[in-house]
Amino acid sequence: MLFPARLRLAAAAAPVLLLLGACSGPTTTGPGDALAVALQFPPRSAYAFDADDGALLMTLGVAETLTAVDADARPAPSLATAWEQTEDPRTWRFTLREGVTFHDGTPLTADAVVTAITYITGVTAPPRAIAGIGLTATAEEAAPEKAPAEEAAPEKAPADRASAGEAVLLTTAQPDPVLPLRMSSGNLGILAPAAYAGGRQPSVIRTATGPYVLTSVNGADSAVLERNPAYWGTKAGAATVTVRYVTDPQSRALALQSGDVQFAEGLPHASAAAVRSAGGEVVSYPAARTVELLLNQSAKPFGDLRVRRAVTAAIDRNVLAAQVLEGAAVPASDLFGPAVPWGAAAAPPAADAAAAKRLLAEAGHGPDNRLRVRLQTFPNRPEMPVLATAIQSMLADAGITVEVTVGDYAAQEPKLLAGDFDMFLNSRGYLSDFADAASVLSSDYTCTGSYNIDHFCSARFDGLVAGLAATGDVEQRQKGFAKAAAMLTEEAVGVMIVHPNNTVGLRGVTGFTPDPLGVRPVLPPLKPAQLAPAG
């Protein structure tokens, strides 16, 4: 099943809560009331929220945040049911959902939320969604009880604000118009107070609020989830889920074909036919992701704009998408792709080897001084090594000799961030942390960005991104995102190669809902096929 390219939020016209399962399943374990799934990326640091593992916990359906995201990429209720900006524009009031309990049986309270938020804002490297905004949290003091005479004629509460329930006040150093959307970041999950005891990394075993309880972990190899019978919303689709982290794409496909797992993500395009022959289903849909060839501008040769433009001219992105990846991606003409409304619609230009050679000659490189560079990438996403080899060939035609190395990403990252590399082929979700592009623009491309692998620095670009902080209007923000992407293209800040599709496989499971923005729980809607209601 292939979804239209500009799907945006896929079938997400349904409310957020419905995506946690269209119907409730049995709450008792039966012979077939269990699932096994193969996920491609293991936890980076024992499920630490400040190491991006919070997003994984959200995918699993374990941890939840104050807000979620609706079909229009706007904040929607989750652990908070309402929010409003107070008279002080720096402060937002979030009303908490009543009747929510953590997996350890303790209630969700304002004090518990303050403990969680205070912890994550105090780590050495806070999540990108809140980095640098000066976020603080306090529990709102309960209003004094009214006298009986006053209770007879209470003031009418605003329609979008709960009349009861505890509230948390979140304050930033400067007014932040998108704070409610920031709070949907998976790295801002709320855990029980006991999780933070002892001053160590919070324990995620039986301490969250989601439809699944994380009951055990086996390092970065596997984990076991159990349905939360006390969940406040729609119950999870399976009584138990065994999560296996399988980094090799072929192994994920084989596990699905053999029946060892019922759901696998990141399937190689070439395995689709075999999966279908085994009785499985393959779902492909747009992803808010870009494969980008990062060029180290902090050193030679890519500190020279002419060399960066030469590399761009030498690569035929249309061929890479249509032929090398056999249509499993669309060619990228800028950072943003078809999963979002502000993504560029026009195809990139074809390769121009003659122009590439001319630019290289201007920069002092030719037959007698051939440019030689290193290209690194990683194997977790099946398209990466294939693309690296094809790019190597295209650059060779333009007079650039490329040495390709495929290795573990975690081992490569420290040197990448330190500027010890030439070219790095990366796959990056451009709505990193929450459904807004300002975060990735800031972290990846500003002068002080925490993930600025390109080592690009432009005062003009930084000024554009800084201006988004005061822009609350969604349409104006999207225009700003598009303008920022155009500036990156103008400066040849890396080469945006393709926007890959997400591809998942299902065999003996129903309930999967594509989410191009990648901001919703994946596992809770999945239901063993034999438990699906008739009709």
Side-chain angles (χ1 to χ4, degrees):
M1 171 167 44
L2 182 63
F3 285 76
R6 195 165 286 278
L7 187 62
R8 297 186 61 190
L9 283 169
V16 168
L17 297 184
L18 293 182
L19 294 179
L20 296 180
C23 53
S24 297
T27 57
T28 58
T29 304
D33 200 7
L35 291 175
V37 302
L39 304 186
Q40 62 191 122
F41 289 105
R44 298 176 62 183
S45 184
Y47 299 93
F49 284 101
D50 53 327
D52 284 347
D53 288 350
L56 174 59
L57 290 170
M58 180 185 68
T59 294
L60 300 181
V62 171
E64 296 181 298
T65 51
L66 288 181
T67 62
V69 178
D70 70 9
D72 297 315
R74 297 176 184 275
S78 184
L79 293 181
T81 57
W83 45 89
E84 60 184 351
Q85 207 162 12
T86 66
E87 293 182 358
D88 179 353
R90 300 173 303 154
T91 299
W92 289 77
R93 180 185 190 273
F94 288 78
T95 302
L96 301 185
R97 185 179 298 277
E98 296 185 84
V100 177
T101 57
F102 291 104
H103 294 158
D104 65 1
T106 57
L108 174 71
T109 65
D111 286 337
V113 173
V114 169
T115 296
I117 299 298
T118 301
Y119 165 80
I120 198 61
T121 58
V123 298
T124 302
R128 289 175 296 276
I130 59 169
I133 66 172
L135 181 66
T136 59
T138 57
E140 183 180 60
E141 294 184 8
E145 295 187 5
K146 296 181 179 181
E150 293 176 310
E151 292 178 351
E155 292 184 6
K156 184 177 180 181
D160 61 347
R161 173 172 162 180
S163 59
E166 296 191 39
V168 174
L169 300 176
L170 298 183
T171 302
T172 53
Q174 301 296 328
D176 187 345
V178 295
L179 186 63
L181 191 57
R182 291 182 188 275
M183 302 314 295
S184 69
S185 166
N187 291 312
L188 301 178
I190 307 300
L191 302 179
Y196 304 93
R200 298 181 297 274
Q201 177 178 316
S203 170
V204 295
I205 303 293
R206 299 183 182 277
T207 59
T209 61
Y212 276 125
V213 181
L214 183 61
T215 59
S216 65
V217 298
N218 180 24
D221 294 327
S222 63
V224 176
L225 314 176
E226 294 181 1
R227 180 188 291 141
N228 177 11
Y231 184 57
W232 58 267
T234 303
K235 303 299 185 291
T240 62
V241 179
T242 299
V243 179
R244 300 173 185 170
Y245 299 109
V246 183
T247 58
D248 178 65
Q250 294 296 339
S251 296
R252 293 194 296 271
L254 290 173
L256 187 66
Q257 292 169 231
S258 66
D260 288 343
V261 301
Q262 293 77 54
F263 174 86
E265 64 179 6
L267 293 187
H269 181 71
S271 69
V275 170
R276 294 189 180 100
S277 295
E281 179 185 6
V282 177
V283 181
S284 183
Y285 60 98
R289 176 170 293 277
T290 301
V291 173
E292 179 185 4
L293 182 63
L294 303 173
L295 308 175
N296 181 11
Q297 296 187 36
S298 67
K300 294 180 178 180
F302 297 117
D304 190 323
L305 176 60
R306 295 168 298 185
V307 177
R308 300 199 302 273
R309 286 179 173 169
V311 170
T312 303
I315 297 174
D316 198 322
R317 291 166 276 181
N318 299 293
V319 169
L320 292 176
Q323 299 180 25
V324 176
L325 297 183
E326 300 179 322
V330 296
S333 56
D334 78 9
L335 174 61
F336 302 117
V340 293
W342 63 87
D352 189 340
K357 291 178 179 179
R358 185 170 57 253
L359 287 164
L360 288 172
E362 291 176 6
H365 298 284
D368 298 328
N369 184 29
R370 190 176 176 92
L371 181 61
R372 300 177 184 274
V373 294
R374 301 164 295 165
L375 192 165
Q376 300 166 239
T377 192
F378 52 91
N380 302 64
R381 295 187 179 275
E383 69 273 17
M384 304 303 281
V386 176
L387 286 171
T389 300
I391 290 170
Q392 179 187 41
S393 177
M394 290 177 176
L395 293 180
D397 290 341
I400 302 174
T401 298
V402 178
E403 176 188 344
V404 174
T405 301
V406 179
D408 178 67
Y409 173 80
Q412 297 179 81
E413 186 182 74
K415 288 188 175 181
L416 296 173
L417 293 174
D420 184 10
F421 76 103
D422 294 331
M423 302 191 299
F424 181 66
L425 190 65
N426 197 22
S427 180
R428 179 76 159 149
Y430 51 72
L431 298 181
S432 181
D433 273 5
F434 66 109
D436 186 270
S439 176
V440 77
L441 290 173
S442 177
S443 66
D444 290 23
Y445 302 105
T446 61
C447 295
T448 58
S450 60
Y451 197 70
N452 187 348
I453 295 179
D454 282 295
H455 297 271
F456 166 68
C457 183
S458 163
R460 185 166 68 100
F461 184 89
D462 283 13
L464 172 60
V465 174
L468 294 171
T471 305
D473 181 79
V474 172
E475 183 177 354
Q476 290 303 313
R477 290 184 71 81
Q478 293 181 357
K479 289 180 179 179
F481 302 155
K483 185 176 180 181
M487 290 175 63
L488 295 176
T489 299
E490 175 189 347
E491 292 293 326
V493 182
V495 185
M496 311 304 167
I497 303 295
V498 295
H499 301 297
N501 292 328
N502 279 333
T503 303
V504 302
L506 306 94
R507 187 181 179 205
V509 67
T510 62
F512 175 71
T513 302
D515 175 21
L517 298 187
V519 296
R520 298 210 174 106
V522 173
L523 300 189
L526 302 182
K527 181 184 292 293
Q530 58 267 41
L531 294 182

